[in-house]
């Protein structure tokens, strides 16, 4: 899986109920992820390399935690999910390795791709993992209460 950016700029991410999956350990990790991406989206160029380093450290922990849960519990679609984590981390590492003068523009491109990628990843792969983990650890599917929803 590669992270690709489209031609539109994604609004800065900020944590809200739409990202809740109902399994607190995943929701907590995702809140930090969303916060870091949002900070990078709005940061001045001079701050981007340090924020990218913080983000890379977060991704290492975040992805390894989820990967470990998937392996320990024999989560059926784990290989695809683990591969996606590896691809994202590889992209982050490639950008970290660039010469300093190239970094700001490439970091911004990466961050926009991440802001586009994350909601889809969370809705598809992480929501399945949250349901799986809640069932394994708590005996049932998570219940998510969202504020501000309009009913049709």
């Amino acid at each position: 899986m590669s992270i690709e950016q489209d031609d539109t700029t994604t609004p800065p991410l900020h944590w809200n109920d739409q990202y809740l999956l109902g399994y607190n350990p995943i929701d907590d990790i995702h809140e930090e992820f969303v916060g870091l991406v949002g900070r990078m989206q709005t940061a001045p160029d001079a701050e981007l390399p340090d924020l990218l380093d913080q983000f890379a450290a977060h991704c290492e922990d975040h992805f390894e935690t989820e990967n470990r849960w998937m392996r320990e519990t024999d989560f059926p679609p784990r290989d695809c999910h683990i591969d996606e984590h590896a691809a994202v981390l590889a992209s982050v590492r490639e950008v970290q390795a660039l010469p300093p003068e190239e970094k700001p523009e490439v970091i911004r491109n990466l961050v926009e791709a991440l802001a586009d990628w994350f909601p889809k990843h969370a809705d598809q792969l992480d929501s399945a993992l949250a349901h799986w983990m809640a069932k394994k650890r708590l005996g049932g599917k998570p219940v998510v209460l969202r504020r501000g929803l309009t009913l049709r």
Side-chain angles (χ1 to χ4, degrees):
M1 186 243 140
S2 65
I3 298 178
E4 296 183 15
Q5 181 183 5
D6 61 20
D7 293 333
T8 61
T9 300
T10 306
L13 289 185
H14 66 280
W15 183 253
N16 62 65
D17 290 355
Q18 83 179 36
Y19 299 122
L20 286 174
L21 299 177
Y23 185 68
N24 286 343
I26 292 176
D27 289 336
D28 292 344
I29 292 171
H30 285 180
E31 185 172 1
E32 183 179 348
F33 182 99
V34 166
L36 285 166
V37 171
R39 284 177 57 203
M40 288 190 294
Q41 285 177 292
T42 60
D45 285 355
E47 293 177 16
L48 287 173
D50 287 339
L51 286 170
L52 183 64
D53 290 344
Q54 290 175 38
F55 180 75
H58 164 83
C59 284
E60 285 179 5
D61 291 341
H62 173 163
F63 296 159
E64 184 47 43
T65 297
E66 287 185 11
N67 294 350
R68 185 180 70 251
W69 291 336
M70 289 186 278
R71 285 188 210 98
E72 288 174 355
T73 64
D74 292 324
F75 181 59
R78 70 185 166 273
D79 292 339
C80 171
H81 199 153
I82 290 170
D83 288 348
E84 201 163 292
H85 287 164
V88 170
L89 192 53
S91 294
V92 170
R93 292 292 183 219
E94 284 179 32
V95 174
Q96 282 182 299
L98 291 173
E101 64 275 4
E102 293 179 29
K103 281 189 179 178
E105 181 180 349
V106 179
I107 291 171
R108 292 212 185 276
N109 290 337
L110 173 67
V111 169
E112 289 308 310
L114 289 165
D116 183 57
W117 169 81
F118 175 75
K120 296 169 194 163
H121 176 82
D123 282 347
Q124 296 167 3
L125 297 178
D126 288 332
S127 66
L129 178 59
H131 285 181
W132 178 263
M133 294 302 296
K135 187 171 183 182
K136 289 283 188 183
R137 300 236 167 118
L138 306 172
K141 289 174 84 173
V143 173
V144 178
L145 302 175
R146 290 185 166 82
R147 292 171 254 162
L149 288 181
T150 55
L151 300 176
R152 297 179 206 189

